[in-house]
Structures are given as C-alpha cells and as structure tokens.
Amino acid sequence: MKITLLQTDIKWSDPSANRREAERLMEQAERSDLFVLPEMWTTGFATDPEGVAEVAGNEQGMTDTSEWMQSMAQKHDAAIAGSVATKLPDGTFRNRFLFVTPDDMYHYDKRHLFTYGGENKHYKAGNERTIAEWRGVRFLLQVCYDLRFPVFSRNRDDYDVALYVANWPESRRRVWDTLLMARAIENQCYVIGVNRMGDDPQCHYNGGTAVIDAYGRIVTQAADNAQQSITATLNMEKLKLFREKFPVLADRDKTPL
C-alpha cells in the first residue's frame, strides 16, 4: 500500500485556506492509496473551539471538510485521513479523526484529551477504539496525546498500522520521535505519525512526520520546519512474515482495557 503524509503549515482558523493548500499538495504528490493530514488540520489546535470548530449537520459529523474529504477521496480513488475540530448537533465538541474512503467514512473521537492545554475543558472525550479497513489493511486511528498511553493502543491482533495525527510542539519533539518508535516495536506494526509545522498562537511546531516499521526503523521522514508531502510503500507481506517468525503479539498481556 502506498501512503502520502502531508506535513502542513496550518493557517489559524481558516478551513477554506487549509483545504485549498491540502488539495494543492495532494495534486503534486505521487498517486497513493491513502493521504494523511495532521490533527485539526483545518483550524490549528483550538483548545477553545467556540467559533472555530466546524459545525456538523448531523450526528455522523458531516461538515464542509468531511464532504471535501469524500470528494477528494473519490477524485483520487484513495482514502483521506486527518482530525477536525467538530461541533455536533447536541452542542458537544469533539476532536474527531476522520478516515474517509470514496464510499465510506470512519471516525474516532480523541480519547485522551490534552489536560495540560485545557482541551478537556471544552471537548468531550471518545471512548471507542476505531479500526478502519481499507484495501486489505487495518488502521488504528489515534490523535496526538493518545501516543503517551500504550494500553489503549495495544495491538489485539486487530490492526496492521497505527495512525497518529498531531499538533506536537517542537519543545517536546524528542518524546514524539521516541514514542512513535516504541509503539511500532511493542505492537509489531507500522506506525505513521503526521505532525504539523509552523506556528499557532501558543506553540512552534517543527514536524517530525514519519513512517516507522515494526522493527522501529524509519522508513521515511519529512524534513524539519518544511511544509511537504512524503510518500512510502508499506510492505504488508513483509510485516506478516515478521509476525509469524517472531510472534511477540501472541505473548501480550490479555487483560482488557
């Protein structure tokens, strides 16, 4: 499976501009099965979402951006993934990770809200794991702060790739790099981490977007402080053979979350 990761410089609270830029980067990228964007890629990390989050027209969370993602998925015959600050009809806000294919849409609401930044004061946490299946590959959907909580993301033989989308600041970049590798090794999976670059009203971000294999090795990584797309091919047969030869997952703790 070929995937393209988009490390973008998000324009604060400007969904239209951010969608246009994402579309431009996708048009310039290699033909791929999946395009992945950062956390809250249409607005920036808005811990106070009132007036910033996109308003959903129904409980399924359809917004201008989710409709755009579906349109792009159909145009490119690919899945499009990334999280969007979303206000649901019941008045609650969700940091909602969308995985959109030409014919289907999965969503995951961020479970671990970033208390240190006040995200928990305005958003409602999700409580369900979401596995998106696309072209024979199973993807676990995760958002930013979730990376610090390995129990929730433990591989139960139910996914092949863990997707982490983030607004992870430069000041904690070493943690990002280290934990992406750890999650790949302990879960015997590919890990995809897509972070933004640039600035918002609170932080500076320098990227670190990367694909990590099940051995903890970097397959490909974006340049620091650069808006760019990078493309990699996931070798699912190689992953399967590694799991069969070295069956770490069979010895995992079976205690449920």
Side-chain angles (χ1 to χ4, degrees):
M1 172 170 284
K2 184 176 283 189
I3 60 165
T4 292
L5 316 183
L6 304 177
Q7 180 171 281
T8 58
D9 183 1
I10 301 170
K11 307 300 184 293
W12 182 254
S13 188
D14 194 342
S16 295
N18 291 311
R19 287 193 295 264
R20 287 194 301 270
E21 188 62 10
E23 186 168 352
R24 184 186 70 82
L25 290 171
M26 289 170 61
E27 294 289 347
Q28 294 179 349
E30 296 181 40
R31 183 177 179 84
S32 299
D33 297 291
L34 169 64
F35 295 88
V36 188
L37 289 145
E39 177 186 23
M40 294 196 192
W41 65 272
T42 60
T43 59
F45 186 58
T47 53
D48 185 352
E50 191 65 58
V52 177
E54 295 194 42
V55 179
N58 55 38
E59 287 298 330
Q60 285 68 47
M62 292 301 294
T63 64
D64 288 345
T65 292
S66 61
E67 291 178 359
W68 176 91
M69 292 172 76
Q70 195 148 61
S71 175
M72 289 297 101
Q74 292 166 355
K75 179 178 180 179
H76 292 277
D77 187 29
I80 316 294
S83 100
V84 180
T86 304
K87 184 177 184 179
L88 296 183
D90 64 4
T92 62
F93 293 95
R94 308 297 179 99
N95 187 342
R96 177 158 287 187
F97 190 166
L98 299 172
F99 188 104
V100 184
T101 75
D103 301 309
D104 205 352
M105 183 178 300
Y106 299 85
H107 79 262
Y108 160 69
D109 292 331
K110 184 178 181 181
R111 175 181 174 87
H112 299 98
L113 300 177
F114 190 44
T115 304
Y116 180 77
E119 185 181 18
N120 62 308
K121 296 178 181 179
H122 301 283
Y123 290 84
K124 184 173 181 179
N127 56 19
E128 299 289 337
R129 277 166 58 110
T130 299
I131 309 293
E133 295 191 31
W134 174 237
R135 292 182 174 164
V137 181
R138 302 167 300 170
F139 296 89
L140 174 72
L141 309 186
Q142 299 278 274
V143 180
C144 201
Y145 195 42
D146 286 329
L147 183 60
R148 289 181 178 267
F149 301 92
V151 175
F152 183 61
S153 64
R154 192 68 171 114
N155 197 334
R156 307 170 190 171
D157 289 328
D158 57 351
Y159 69 85
D160 309 300
V161 182
L163 287 182
Y164 288 92
V165 297
N167 274 216
W168 197 287
E170 181 182 27
S171 60
R172 293 186 287 277
R173 169 66 186 278
R174 184 182 178 188
V175 176
W176 166 260
D177 294 338
T178 302
L179 292 182
L180 287 178
M181 292 181 184
R183 296 295 88 83
I185 294 167
E186 70 194 10
N187 293 302
Q188 209 168 30
C189 68
Y190 282 103
V191 165
I192 295 170
V194 181
N195 193 28
R196 67 161 297 177
M197 51 79 60
D199 298 277
D200 67 15
Q202 302 297 326
C203 296
H204 174 69
Y205 307 87
N206 70 341
T209 296
V211 178
I212 314 293
D213 72 11
Y215 296 88
R217 301 176 303 201
I218 297 173
V219 176
T220 188
Q221 187 170 34
D224 287 355
N225 295 303
Q227 176 170 275
Q228 66 178 129
S229 64
I230 57 173
T231 301
T233 299
L234 306 186
N235 188 327
M236 304 313 298
E237 183 61 26
K238 186 176 180 180
L239 175 63
K240 178 183 177 183
L241 291 174
F242 177 46
R243 287 176 169 178
E244 291 174 351
K245 179 181 179 181
F246 190 55
V248 173
L249 295 178
D251 296 325
R252 72 191 185 279
D253 296 311
K254 303 301 195 299
T255 304
L257 181 67

